Amino acid sequence: MHRISTADFAALALVFLASCAVSQDQEETSTGTALTQLEAANALNPNALNPNALNPNALNPNALAPNALNPNALSAAAQSAIRAPGEAGALSRELLGYVVGCALTPAQSFGFSWTDQAGSVHEELYPGLLGLAPSWSDKPLGQTDQQWVSACLASRTNWYGISVTISSRGSHKAIDKTGAPELSTYTRQEGAFWGNLFDPSPYLHACHDDASHARSLSRACAAGHLDESGGIEECGMIHIVGPCDSHCLPLNQRGMYYPSCVNNLTGSPDATTRVITVFLR
């Protein structure tokens, strides 16, 4: 089993969580109970469905840069981010688990240990899941991989801290679901997510399709959370651009994903934008 270095992902966790606030909703750290082998946490393949409950407040990139993924760049501050015994450490480790799940394959994992306030040592081992950037275990992320990992983290963010199993689809070979059984079981389009948390001006975008159905399943980051007055609240830094059919190229009918959505610089869809389209039951 291949492992990515503690230094690489510790740096990522640190920059994401340096100013992270705790959500008013309790985080659900469990990945949930598997319904089928396709969804089983211990037998996942690159086309696996994935549960999500990442706190939107964790999406704070600060000075995130791909060259931070260097084993020799690990600082005392970065080490403390994932090894802290308190609540901040718990949030760092939760985010780290999602990052590993987005980037690495099920054949890869990330392991480290930390010590709680009572002096007990905890051994952590986070398995890969989707495999969107498996080479991150050996080298810094390129721009394309930066976008895939960023889109994945946005798609797995949940306003309510509730784990909802989603079907993540895109042009990346790891999540191209052409011919997969879930095309006929996960048929309700929630929307799409894209962006780059590693950019000098980091950004995340979302668009929505079936907003009412998504909200009924406690998924609100594509269309926004409805407050008591009916206003729309975005999930942290995930900016909602509007309906997907107004901001993305037409849905790919074979794999059922948007091939591209509006580029942050040009304002129009192009092939350089890596998009994850989410479907729900």
Side-chain angles (χ1 to χ4, degrees), residues 150-172:
S150 300
C152 179
L153 287 171
S155 71
R156 301 183 74 190
T157 303
N158 190 295
W159 173 279
Y160 309 103
I162 296 173
S163 186
V164 181
T165 301
I166 62 176
S167 174
S168 298
R169 307 175 191 175
S171 60
H172 193 294

Side-chain angles (χ1 to χ4, degrees), residues 244-269:
C244 291
D245 59 7
S246 298
H247 296 85
C248 304
L249 293 180
L251 197 70
N252 173 296
Q253 291 302 315
R254 292 180 64 247
M256 296 179 70
Y257 56 78
Y258 292 108
S260 67
C261 298
V262 291
N263 183 289
N264 196 50
L265 298 177
T266 66
S268 59

Side-chain angles (χ1 to χ4, degrees), residues 38 44-50 100-108 128-135 144-145 148-149 152 166-183 255 257 274-277:
L38 183 65
L44 286 166
N45 58 59
N47 284 331
L49 301 168
N50 58 101
V100 172
C102 287
L104 302 188
T105 72
Q108 298 171 295
L129 173 61
L130 296 180
L132 294 171
S135 64
T144 296
D145 287 341
W148 281 121
V149 171
C152 179
I166 62 176
S167 174
S168 298
R169 307 175 191 175
S171 60
H172 193 294
K173 63 181 181 181
I175 54 171
D176 184 340
K177 306 299 179 67
T178 302
E182 63 192 81
L183 294 182
Y257 56 78
R274 314 302 173 181
V275 181
I276 288 184
T277 305

Side-chain angles (χ1 to χ4, degrees), residues 22-29 53 55 87 90-91 94 158-163:
V22 179
S23 170
Q24 69 270 26
D25 297 305
Q26 179 64 36
E27 294 290 320
E28 180 171 323
T29 58
N55 180 357
E87 191 168 23
L91 285 172
E94 180 187 3
N158 190 295
W159 173 279
Y160 309 103
I162 296 173
S163 186

Side-chain angles (χ1 to χ4, degrees), residues 182-199:
E182 63 192 81
L183 294 182
S184 61
T185 54
Y186 285 73
T187 59
R188 304 291 290 269
Q189 294 173 232
E190 176 193 36
F193 300 85
W194 65 98
N196 192 341
L197 289 168
F198 302 83
D199 191 83

Side-chain angles (χ1 to χ4, degrees), residues 14 19 26 37-38 121 139 149 158 162 166 179 183 191 194 205 215 222-223 229-230 233 237 279:
L14 174 66
S19 61
Q26 179 64 36
Q37 184 176 2
L38 183 65
V121 176
K139 60 184 180 181
V149 171
N158 190 295
I162 296 173
I166 62 176
L183 294 182
W194 65 98
H205 292 325
R215 290 182 181 127
S229 66
E233 295 186 53
M237 67 176 292
F279 276 72

